[in-house]
Amino acid sequence: MRSMRLAVAALLWATLVGAGEGTAGRPILITVDDLPIGGGRLHVDAAERERITSGLLAVLGRHRVPAVGFVIWGHVEGAADLALLERWLAAGHELGNHTARHLDYDRTAQDAYIADAEAGRAGLAGFLAGKGKAVRFFRFPYLREGETEAKLDAMRAYLERSGQRNVPVTVDDQDWSYEEAWVRARAAGDAAAMARVGEDYQAALRVEVQAQTETGDELFGRPVPQVLLLHANEVGAAQWDALFAWLEARGYRFATADEVMADPAITAPHRYVNGPGGSLWCRLAHERDSNKARAQVAALLEQQAAAWNRGDLAAFCSAYADDAVFLGQSGLTRGREAVLERYREHYPSAAAMGTLTLETLEMREAWGNESSLLGDAVPSRVHGVSVAARWTLRQADGGERSGLTLLVLLRRGGRWVIVQDASM
Ligand SMILES: [Zn+2]
């Protein structure tokens, strides 16, 4: 068994090597946030910042990774930090904008946030201009793109007019959260503690990469590229070599931003406006679930209208849950059987029923956040949908009645059912 696996691995390796560099393997873009140094308050000493940068660049060079580093311009302190940025450029990496003050867009007013993003861009652009380079890429701090559609659109418009592209993250991980424990262990000279932190770091990153690889491939039905989020910190300098070797062994190829950003999966549009759930795949999967829920509810309402219009009240009421509640002008009716009875009393004949049309005025999905395997907040499935609609009944004699209804639907046993109906 073992030799069989080795043979397969060798064959795979031969295929990868044989196909030549640049094409074989799944593309992954390595992005490094919080330049010049992540967790900066832990590393105030210029020599230490220099040492960490050297370590990061050495690993990137060893694995021939063309990375994009995202600079928090307000964290660039003096000539020493500018020299660090120079080193990233000299090593062939690209620098992008990570704003001036690293604000959380969901907690910052739109204009103030855009001003900060622009301050970051202008600062970095001034630095790059002398080197014949421009600011092409942007990364949202905390991956928060705005908690309302208006804010989402405002930043997209700003990025467009300033010539920057948002680089989404597909593998959202918590690599930064190991930094403090790592630095503490190193400062104490505690090799065992450093090894433990390193093991945790590797395990967590591997689980995230594997989970997001599955999610992305399932979404698009093909092997899609990935964008990995890392931070410019000391634990990274120590752990990236093993991480990159593992990625290579898994068939990943370190690709350029231009290649990965040209893939339609990475540029797939989304209008996700909820804070948690940083991975693009989570956002797209949620949006897909959301659209599916809406389509299923719309189809259910169409079936209901069709049942009504053929005079089949039992079929019409099959959309209600066993414990559904109907609120009408005459009061409250509990349970599907009672609702059906009420309809039969009010509409004793096909003539009385007339022709029903339901015009959906608004549909809203109810969902929240749940915890991923590693404790990250990710969007939950859509659990409920509410529908505000206008109903119109046209009688054969030309008479017409119309009113409003609010329906609340829940997903039960793999189908959508109406649990509450307030019609007026
Ligand atoms: Zn950041």
Side-chain angles (χ1 to χ4, degrees):
M1 191 61 197
R2 188 174 167 77
S3 62
M4 179 75 175
R5 255 188 228 146
L6 284 174
V8 171
L11 192 68
L12 184 67
W13 176 245
T15 312
L16 293 175
V17 173
E21 265 183 58
T23 53
R26 182 200 293 263
I28 187 166
L29 171 63
I30 303 299
T31 61
V32 186
D33 282 16
D34 297 3
L35 266 57
I37 293 290
R41 66 186 170 78
L42 294 169
H43 309 290
V44 289
D45 176 53
E48 188 168 305
R49 293 163 83 87
E50 212 286 325
R51 180 171 57 78
I52 293 168
T53 303
S54 295
L56 297 173
L57 293 174
V59 187
L60 291 169
R62 198 173 310 141
H63 292 268
R64 297 189 205 170
V65 178
V68 179
F70 288 97
V71 180
I72 307 171
W73 190 254
H75 290 189
V76 178
E77 288 171 18
D81 276 354
L82 289 174
L84 298 183
L85 299 184
E86 301 260 13
R87 293 196 54 195
W88 282 86
L89 293 175
H93 305 295
E94 179 153 1
L95 296 180
N97 177 18
H98 198 33
T99 77
R101 289 189 294 152
H102 207 269
L103 301 172
D104 179 344
Y105 193 20
D106 290 5
R107 295 178 182 196
T108 310
Q110 180 180 304
D111 291 352
Y113 186 86
I114 292 176
D116 190 59
E118 174 55 19
R121 188 206 63 81
L124 182 61
F127 171 71
L128 293 177
K131 297 157 181 61
K133 296 181 190 302
V135 181
R136 301 195 299 155
F137 298 123
F138 180 84
R139 166 67 48 77
F140 284 91
Y142 314 104
L143 308 178
R144 303 273 166 85
E145 298 184 24
E147 83 287 17
T148 64
E149 295 209 18
K151 285 175 80 172
L152 190 83
D153 288 334
M155 261 309 282
R156 286 178 182 183
Y158 158 72
L159 291 175
E160 171 105 41
R161 69 175 177 266
S162 59
Q164 303 172 82
R165 288 181 73 190
N166 172 36
V167 178
V169 165
T170 67
V171 183
D172 178 22
D173 55 79
Q174 311 288 324
D175 71 315
W176 55 270
S177 68
Y178 299 89
E179 178 70 354
E180 198 161 345
W182 175 268
V183 171
R184 211 183 310 123
R186 187 260 302 153
D190 188 341
M194 288 168 77
R196 272 198 305 277
V197 174
E199 276 169 32
D200 289 350
Y201 178 102
Q202 298 295 339
L205 271 285
R206 288 177 188 188
V207 169
E208 290 284 12
V209 168
Q210 279 170 311
Q212 293 303 341
T213 299
E214 279 171 30
T215 306
D217 289 2
E218 198 180 311
L219 267 173
F220 290 91
R222 67 174 169 94
V224 287
Q226 301 288 343
V227 180
L228 178 63
L229 169 63
L230 295 172
H231 288 79
N233 52 22
E234 185 179 323
V235 69
Q239 296 299 325
W240 286 2
D241 193 32
L243 174 67
F244 292 166
W246 178 81
L247 286 168
E248 286 159 348
R250 296 277 305 181
Y252 278 96
R253 170 175 59 81
F254 301 113
T256 63
D258 284 310
E259 179 187 346
V260 171
M261 291 290 286
D263 192 288
I266 299 294
T267 55
H270 75 82
R271 298 194 62 73
Y272 181 83
V273 287
N274 182 47
S279 165
L280 174 65
W281 303 151
C282 281
R283 293 171 184 187
L284 291 172
H286 174 76
E287 206 157 71
R288 189 171 288 194
D289 181 45
S290 188
N291 290 338
K292 195 172 155 192
R294 282 168 170 263
Q296 286 171 339
V297 167
L300 182 73
L301 299 183
E302 267 178 43
Q303 285 164 24
Q304 253 199 315
W308 183 281
N309 293 334
R310 62 174 189 269
D312 189 347
L313 276 175
F316 177 83
C317 286
S318 69
Y320 289 89
D322 287 343
D323 62 346
V325 168
F326 183 95
L327 290 83
Q329 274 171 353
S330 54
L332 196 141
T333 308
R334 284 186 186 278
R336 183 178 55 227
E337 286 307 313
V339 171
L340 175 57
E341 206 44 50
R342 182 190 167 282
Y343 274 116
R344 282 190 169 136
E345 278 168 25
H346 282 72
Y347 302 96
S349 66
M353 287 176 75
T355 305
L356 172 69
T357 51
L358 265 176
E359 180 203 350
T360 297
L361 305 173
E362 187 187 81
M363 221 186 253
R364 291 192 187 197
E365 303 102 87
W367 55 281
N369 297 305
E370 56 193 24
S371 186
S372 77
L373 207 57
L374 289 172
D376 306 330
V378 293
S380 73
R381 288 196 79 189
V382 173
H383 300 301
V385 174
S386 61
V387 183
R390 172 172 297 283
W391 57 265
T392 305
L393 282 179
R394 288 185 185 83
Q395 254 71 38
D397 63 7
E400 186 175 303
R401 286 197 300 134
S402 181
L404 296 172
T405 184
L406 179 65
L407 305 171
V408 177
L409 297 101
L410 294 181
R411 207 198 291 258
R412 282 196 189 158
R415 62 185 282 257
W416 290 96
V417 287
I418 298 168
V419 293
Q420 288 173 311
D421 176 344
S423 290
M424 57 216 80

